[in-house]
Amino acid sequence: MVNVINENLKFSESILKEIFSLYQEIKALSDDEILSCSSERPKKLFLKLDALITQNLESDVVSILLDKKGLEPIFAHINRFRNLYTVRLETMYSNEILASQSPWNVLENYPFYKNYLRLIRTEYEGFGLKSGDRIFFLGSGPLPLTLIVFFKYHAVKGTGIEQNPERTRLSIETLDKLGLSKDITIINGSHLSMNPIDFLDPDAGSKALIIAAQAEPKREILDHLLKVIPPGCRISYRIYEKGLMRLVNRDFLLDLPEGYREYKRIKPEPPAYNTVVFVEKKE
């Protein structure tokens, strides 16, 4: 047992050196550089980070790393970088779709496309949705892959909410290029834009609401939704809780706000990384 503990400590120190090395490079990059610089540096750092956090590590090693005091600023920079680079990647693919004569081929070459197929099936089955239903997706981004996959593979219509105006515009144009504008709508706004009519109107009403992994802060979002959703309304939110993926999940809800009941939690199956937590507003 002592040998195992010592080996875990040594291995965790090795991983920690990798994390710190990445942090030193990442912290030097501004938001604008991550989003739009012409250098290949952000891509190389993203690939290094992705290889690091998707390693299959023992839970004891992960706990040793995540319990180290003083590392929160490092994890915050890593989270910032990954979120911004994801926006960069989605923006690049949306622009390629707009310029392509074969937009669906471009979309299906998105690096995490297969991850989304698995993730959306998990949410489709977890909610018990059926063809013709409509969902809301909070934090839809410049490439609304969640909504696209929901409709393409399950005929579930969707409304995306994106707070950045430019990303909203780009996603609307991308959906139009893919021929999906009649079935998927994008709104420029945030959780604060939502009101009871979104859920109660039989024509516009949603069967479920999904909160993106990058949509933060989740407690504030869920607190506000309690004011506008009807009792029994179902919500899911995505978290990373497997291995070092937790490094990029700093907005981790340990306790649900009063008024919700968690009724299901589905852990990821490869190639998906997200655990999906299903909750509903109490009656």
Side-chain angles (χ1 to χ4, degrees), residues 16 19 23 65-68 71-80 246-248 250:
L16 184 58
I19 292 172
Y23 160 70
L65 289 167
L66 296 179
D67 289 344
K68 284 186 176 294
L71 293 183
E72 190 59 36
I74 291 177
F75 297 157
H77 270 288
I78 289 173
N79 185 45
R80 170 189 73 98
R246 288 165 61 188
L247 284 179
V248 292
R250 309 318 301 152

Side-chain angles (χ1 to χ4, degrees), residues 176-234:
D176 187 53
K177 179 76 174 187
L178 293 168
L180 299 176
S181 297
K182 291 183 179 179
D183 301 295
I184 301 174
T185 303
I186 304 295
I187 298 170
N188 180 214
S190 70
H191 58 286
L192 297 175
S193 309
M194 306 192 74
N195 58 66
I197 197 66
D198 294 324
F199 299 91
L200 299 177
D201 186 320
D203 294 322
S206 170
K207 298 294 183 182
L209 183 146
I210 297 171
I211 302 173
Q214 289 81 13
E216 302 175 351
K218 287 191 171 54
R219 180 168 291 277
E220 177 187 307
I221 291 169
L222 288 168
D223 280 340
H224 175 76
L225 290 175
L226 276 175
K227 302 172 185 176
V228 301
I229 62 176
C233 181
R234 296 168 297 163

Side-chain angles (χ1 to χ4, degrees), residues 66-221:
L66 296 179
D67 289 344
K68 284 186 176 294
K69 295 180 180 179
L71 293 183
E72 190 59 36
I74 291 177
F75 297 157
H77 270 288
I78 289 173
N79 185 45
R80 170 189 73 98
F81 171 77
R82 194 171 191 277
N83 285 347
L84 288 173
Y85 190 83
T86 298
V87 171
R88 175 184 176 132
L89 193 60
E90 290 188 9
T91 300
M92 181 180 74
Y93 270 81
S94 282
N95 283 321
E96 287 185 12
I97 286 168
L98 292 177
S100 175
Q101 297 298 314
S102 304
W104 281 100
N105 289 341
V106 174
L107 179 71
E108 290 168 8
N109 282 323
Y110 184 77
F112 302 109
Y113 188 76
K114 290 182 179 178
N115 304 50
Y116 275 86
L117 299 185
R118 176 67 260 179
L119 176 60
I120 272 59
R121 174 164 288 281
T122 295
E123 290 168 331
Y124 177 78
E125 293 173 351
F127 280 128
L129 295 170
K130 62 183 186 299
S131 173
D133 285 343
R134 176 173 287 276
I135 60 167
F136 271 108
F137 182 53
L138 188 61
S140 52
L143 179 63
L145 258 172
T146 288
L147 296 171
I148 292 168
V149 172
F150 256 112
F151 184 73
K152 178 175 173 60
Y153 290 90
H154 305 291
V156 170
K157 300 179 181 181
T159 300
I161 301 173
E162 170 54 48
Q163 63 181 356
N164 182 285
E166 178 59 24
R167 295 170 199 165
T168 300
R169 178 198 63 76
L170 186 57
S171 62
I172 290 171
E173 291 179 4
T174 301
L175 290 170
D176 187 53
K177 179 76 174 187
L178 293 168
L180 299 176
S181 297
K182 291 183 179 179
D183 301 295
I184 301 174
T185 303
I186 304 295
I187 298 170
N188 180 214
S190 70
H191 58 286
L192 297 175
S193 309
M194 306 192 74
N195 58 66
I197 197 66
D198 294 324
F199 299 91
L200 299 177
D201 186 320
D203 294 322
S206 170
K207 298 294 183 182
L209 183 146
I210 297 171
I211 302 173
Q214 289 81 13
E216 302 175 351
K218 287 191 171 54
R219 180 168 291 277
E220 177 187 307
I221 291 169

Side-chain angles (χ1 to χ4, degrees), residues 40 57 60 191 226 241 253 267:
E40 286 286 299
L57 300 179
D60 288 347
H191 58 286
L226 276 175
E241 60 176 2
L253 273 177
K267 294 188 178 297

